[in-house]
Amino acid sequence: MPHLPPDITNLDDRQLMSCYGEYVSWTAYTAMRLVEARVNVRAAKQSLDYSTARAALAASTEKTVAGRKAAAAADTQVQEDEKRFLDAQALAEGLEMVHRNAEARAQFCSRDLSRRQNSQADSRYSKWGV
């Protein structure tokens, strides 16, 4: 993501508009990737649930529910699926943070662009009365 200057009022209009455009592009890109990541989280959760249920059924020799759950948790496929699920969740949460940051920076640039437009309109009105 592009660096946001400490003081965007030092940027001219063209530079600020370019900065705004980059943040809007990052917002759109991260939104698309975030949707993909959320789908991957759901798929990983479904896979984890399936392998857990399968491992619990395979542990039918266990006499207690706690024993079946423990046997399922010890299953290597369940452990792999749990890792995939946690990795998918971490990626989705990271992308959500980047998306929010890009969106906030785009809004910040947009507010300054609007402020500049309004101040130019005010100065023209006071100068020309139009």
Side-chain angles (χ1 to χ4, degrees):
M1 186 170 357
H3 171 72
L4 184 65
D7 185 6
I8 65 170
T9 59
N10 291 334
L11 300 177
D12 64 29
D13 289 349
R14 187 176 304 252
Q15 291 171 319
L16 183 57
M17 192 62 190
S18 175
C19 190
Y20 172 69
E22 288 183 43
Y23 288 126
V24 167
S25 294
W26 268 92
T27 301
Y29 173 73
T30 56
M32 178 196 62
R33 292 294 315 269
L34 185 56
V35 167
E36 182 183 331
R38 286 178 177 159
V39 168
N40 289 340
V41 167
R42 284 194 296 273
K45 176 68 172 140
Q46 188 175 22
S47 181
L48 174 61
D49 290 345
Y50 176 76
S51 62
T52 301
R54 225 172 118 186
L57 283 174
S60 60
T61 57
E62 294 291 331
K63 295 191 189 294
T64 64
V65 172
R68 286 186 186 154
K69 285 183 179 180
D75 186 78
T76 56
Q77 184 61 49
V78 171
Q79 291 173 354
E80 288 172 13
D81 287 347
E82 189 167 14
K83 181 174 180 350
R84 277 191 215 104
F85 174 66
L86 292 174
D87 289 346
Q89 268 189 322
L91 179 62
E93 289 174 13
L95 280 169
E96 189 169 347
M97 183 181 65
V98 172
H99 176 72
R100 275 195 242 128
N101 285 338
E103 194 172 42
R105 290 176 182 191
Q107 289 172 354
F108 183 66
C109 291
S110 175
R111 282 193 300 273
D112 200 61
L113 284 166
S114 296
R115 180 192 59 78
R116 290 178 186 194
Q117 288 297 326
N118 290 337
S119 68
Q120 288 175 357
D122 289 344
S123 67
R124 278 184 273 159
Y125 179 78
S126 63
K127 184 175 182 180
W128 302 104
V130 204

